[in-house]
Structures are given as structure tokens and as C-alpha cells.
Amino acid sequence: MSRPGPDGTRGASPSALLAPERATVPFTGRARELAELRAWVRSHDPLALRLVCGLGGVGKTRLALELGRRLRRTGWTVVHVPPGQEVAAVERVADVRRALLVVDDAGFRPGLPAMLDAAGAPRRRGRLRILCLARTGGQWWPRERWTGSLWAGRTPSVTQMALDAALEGGPDVAYDPALGLAAEPPDGERAVVEAAAARFARVLGRPVPRTAYESAPDRRTRVLDLHAAALVGVLDGEVPDPGAALGLLLDRERAGWAASAVEAGLAGDAEAVLTAATLLGDTSDAGVRAALRRAGASPAAGRDADVTAWVRRHLPAVPRLGELLVSRVLAASPGLTDRCTRDLDADQAFAVLGFATAMGLDRPAADRDVTGELTEAVAAALPARTAADLPGLLRVTRRLPARPRPSWCPSWTASPTAWPSWRARRATWPSARRRWAISARCSSPRASRTPR
């Protein structure tokens, strides 16, 4: 799912305060990871790549934003690369002495291979750092080595790190290791909730809620869930369990969509429209019109601009909230799944597959899991009639998951209690037979060989 970006087109509701770009709550913890990234940036390699992996809501984007903020103060040029402008970003910093490019949701950026190829061109001066953020790097990241020219003839510096949910220490403005913050995780989580609630209350002009949150010693809650719990506490007066907070926020927003959509001139199911737009990830005028058609909705006469603006304002501000919306609505409306995945072009199929893959790793609670259905629908909808369809087929099949368990998360693989949930999720992924059937549609033998 693409992020809102700096234009502020999303976020008419309180949940927009959770967007990492808003930085409503001061940066929390991650002193060790931040120090490691700063050391990586300052290395003497002319070109260096790093992949940061972690489940949705652990703080990847916020960590990158904080890193960029600190580097700018020391003279670095930092660019958060918008989707579709990957190569242009490299060209923009070609003559810059010290540059950091941040690519969020890197695993499903169609322009990433071309960006890495462009980054491999000899630089006239300085150092270039490319920081890629993704939920997993187990399959697609190694495949970039044999699909691009960056690694041809030389080996650039490439490293990887994983973020887990645990935060080191409680909230502080500076978060400097020299401050000696060493709170235990449960105390740290409570402090995060209290600090976030105070910030949200100040922004919304509401009283600070009573905080009765107690973290279990064996549970490490993601910072997004802690912030969501604090926000719900400000809105409702009591802090809920963090695991249910995003769902409660979504319920609050859904309750007001129908009435506001009618005021904007939308004729049709507002939830279906936002679900289609979120799933396809295209917020352009044409993309919003396509979402309206797939949802069976339409604007009233002369209200096209108002409806488009309404859709953009009410799209979920954080990816996991969007995934929760899509999973709930599609689980209750099987027909909408078919309409949203029918007649997809290669770019749309790539977007839906990326959304489904992320949702499969962070499976939201719903009556029926739709991850496998979306993946199967993408496979069936891929155009494969002419030679011109081959690049799109290759792009999508290289991102199909080869196994349901992410290889980058050692804490999951080492925990016996994690395996039952992963065995339950296995059924949501396309079978090996289906993956090979899709790959067989690609005439190039390069599409199915194992990356080195």
C-alpha cells in the first residue's frame, strides 16, 4: 500500500494522527538501530544499500524519517522517493556529495530495479546511500541480484537489518544512548502509551485519558498499536487493549462514511469505494474513477471533483488500517473481490499482489481471510496473450511468496508458540502447483530459476 506522502491528501479523521509523516508523537526508542544506520551511512563506500525489514507498525518509516532528520542537520541530502519517481530520484542527486534515498514499501515498487540500475552508474563525486523498507526480504530481495545490472562486474555494499516490536527504553525527545534510557519493555510500553495519549489530547483539544494499560511480560506490542490504543483512549475516555485499537478506530471512521459520502455527492457504497481504492493504490483522478466503477458507485451530476476529493480524504492514513478495511469488507462481500480483480493490467496486478502479500504477513482479524483469494485472483487476471505481456508476468511472478514463513524474523522461527498460527496461515497462500502454473506462463527460463 502506497503511503499518503507529504501532500496531505489523506487523513480527514483522527486516525491520520497515526501517520509517521505527521510525527505527532515524538520519536520513541530505537537508539541501537539508529546508531547502526548512522554508522552505515558514514561508511566510505561510494554506494551502499540497506534493507530494513519488519512487520507493519513496528516503526520502519518513522525510523527512516528520524534518520533523515538527523542527517539533514549534518549536510546530507535526504529524499523520500515517491512511487513512480525512482530513477528520477537517482538522477536528482547525481551531483550531490552526500545523499540518502529512502524507498518505502520497496518490495512492490515497479521502478526499483531501474532505480538500482541507475544507481550503479559511476558517480562523479560523493556517496550515495539507498535505504529500502519492506515487511519481508526473504524472496524478492535476492532476486534483484540476477534481474538487474547493478551487481554486474562489481559488488556494492549491501546489508540488511530486521526490526522487532520491542522498543528499547521509554519516550524521550532526544533518544540518545548517552541518556542511559534502560526501562524494561513493559514499563517502556506503558510510558509510550501515556506520552502518545498526552500528545493526541493536546492536538485534539481533549482531556488526557486514564491509562490502565499493563503489558504482558511475554508480549511485545508494535508501536503503532500502542499509539492507536492511546488515540482511542483520548477519543473514548479509556485506553483499550492495543490489539483491538486499530479495529476500534476503523469502526469509528466507518460509522461516518455513509453520511459524509452522500454530502459529497457519492451515489453508492462508500465502504466499497474506499476498499477498491485502497486495494488498487491509485489515488489519481483516473484511479479514483476506476475504483468507483469497480465498486458500482458514481458521483452525482457535476460532483466528480467533490467525490474524488472525498475519497482521497477518507483513505486510511496508515497501511495496516487499510489492510484491516480491505479484509473486513471483502470478507463480507465476495462479489467485490471479483470486481476489484477483474481485467487487471500488469501494474494493477502488481499493486494488488503487494497488498495481499503484506496483508498475509499481518493478517488482520476478519471472519474470512481473503489473502489467498486475492493472490489467486491476481494470477487468473494476469494478461498473457502476447509477447508484450511478458515483462508484467515476470515482474509479478518474481514476487510470489515461496513459503509462508518470513525468513528474516529469527524471533518467530525460534518460538514454538508461533508455529500454530503460521500453520493456520499456510492455507491462505497459493499452492506450489499454482505458483509453478503461473511461472509456466512466462516463456523465459530466467523467470523460474533459483536466484544465486
Side-chain angles (χ1 to χ4, degrees):
M1 177 182 173
S2 59
R3 291 186 176 274
D7 57 359
T9 55
R10 299 186 187 184
S13 63
S15 66
L17 297 175
L18 297 175
E21 296 83 2
R22 295 281 294 266
T24 306
V25 181
F27 182 72
T28 301
R30 301 296 183 197
R32 177 180 58 82
E33 292 88 347
L34 190 58
E36 184 178 339
L37 287 174
R38 295 177 74 177
W40 164 73
V41 165
R42 292 168 177 169
S43 66
H44 296 293
D45 299 299
L47 172 64
L49 283 68
R50 171 158 287 207
L51 174 65
V52 176
C53 292
L55 293 178
V58 299
K60 301 182 299 295
T61 301
R62 189 63 191 276
L63 177 63
L65 289 168
E66 179 66 14
L67 174 67
R69 184 183 71 84
R70 298 190 181 199
L71 290 179
R72 287 190 183 96
R73 294 188 305 194
T74 61
W76 281 75
T77 297
V78 180
V79 179
H80 290 263
V81 183
Q85 299 185 29
E86 290 81 7
V87 174
V90 175
E91 296 173 347
R92 172 182 168 185
V93 299
D95 295 321
V96 175
R97 189 167 64 90
R98 297 181 296 178
L100 170 68
L101 303 181
V102 180
V103 185
D104 213 337
D105 300 317
F108 285 88
R109 287 287 194 105
L112 182 64
M115 176 184 183
L116 297 182
D117 290 345
R123 289 179 60 81
R124 288 184 287 272
R125 55 182 293 187
R127 292 172 285 174
L128 174 62
R129 302 290 178 263
I130 300 178
L131 181 63
C132 296
L133 312 178
R135 295 196 183 181
T136 179
Q139 297 300 320
W140 66 271
W141 184 246
R143 290 172 185 170
E144 295 296 344
R145 292 178 178 270
W146 55 266
T147 58
S149 61
L150 176 60
W151 284 267
R154 63 175 181 155
T155 304
S157 172
V158 181
T159 52
Q160 183 170 333
M161 67 185 296
L163 294 185
D164 58 21
L167 294 175
E168 295 182 354
D172 187 89
V173 175
Y175 301 103
D176 194 316
L179 296 177
L181 296 175
E184 293 297 321
D187 297 332
E189 290 183 3
R190 182 185 179 95
V192 169
V193 173
E194 292 175 345
R199 287 286 179 151
F200 293 141
R202 182 185 305 174
V203 172
L204 296 174
R206 299 197 178 200
V208 178
R210 178 178 61 87
T211 302
Y213 172 73
E214 295 294 340
S215 174
D218 59 344
R219 182 179 68 178
R220 295 297 181 266
T221 306
R222 296 177 235 182
V223 66
L224 175 60
D225 294 324
L226 296 173
H227 287 180
L231 181 57
V232 173
V234 172
L235 297 173
D236 294 343
E238 186 172 351
V239 176
D241 180 86
L246 285 176
L248 294 174
L249 281 175
L250 182 60
D251 291 340
R252 290 180 60 94
E253 296 188 6
R254 293 173 73 176
W257 284 345
S260 62
V262 171
E263 292 179 2
L266 176 61
D269 188 342
E271 288 189 359
V273 171
L274 292 176
T275 297
T278 300
L279 179 61
L280 295 171
D282 186 355
T283 60
S284 65
D285 290 350
V288 172
R289 289 194 296 269
L292 290 170
R293 290 193 299 270
R294 291 181 183 273
S298 61
R303 303 295 300 276
D304 298 65
D306 294 334
V307 169
T308 299
W310 180 89
V311 171
R312 289 173 176 161
R313 286 197 309 271
H314 289 82
L315 286 172
V318 291
R320 279 183 57 210
L321 200 60
E323 292 157 17
L324 185 59
L325 168 67
V326 170
S327 66
R328 287 185 175 183
V329 174
L330 293 188
S333 307
L336 183 60
T337 303
D338 178 67
R339 297 198 302 272
C340 287
T341 55
R342 186 186 305 157
D343 301 324
L344 298 175
D345 60 30
D347 291 337
Q348 292 170 332
F350 196 73
V352 174
L353 179 62
F355 194 98
T357 301
M359 194 163 58
L361 291 171
D362 282 296
R363 189 176 68 173
D367 295 335
R368 190 182 83 256
D369 183 38
V370 298
T371 302
E373 297 176 21
L374 286 174
T375 307
E376 296 280 348
V378 167
L382 281 172
R385 291 179 290 272
T386 67
D389 296 325
L390 181 59
L393 282 169
L394 291 174
R395 186 199 312 164
V396 173
T397 54
R398 286 169 185 155
R399 295 303 192 270
L400 286 175
R403 58 178 179 271
R405 177 176 58 86
S407 61
W408 50 263
C409 191
S411 62
W412 287 17
T413 60
S415 173
T417 60
W419 281 104
S421 62
W422 277 108
R423 282 198 296 268
R425 296 185 191 191
R426 181 181 293 275
T428 69
W429 294 94
S431 64
R433 178 179 298 179
R434 166 60 71 179
R435 290 196 302 270
W436 283 108
I438 298 169
S439 297
R441 299 170 69 182
C442 303
S443 58
S444 170
R446 194 181 187 189
S448 59
R449 64 174 178 152
T450 304
R452 292 175 290 182

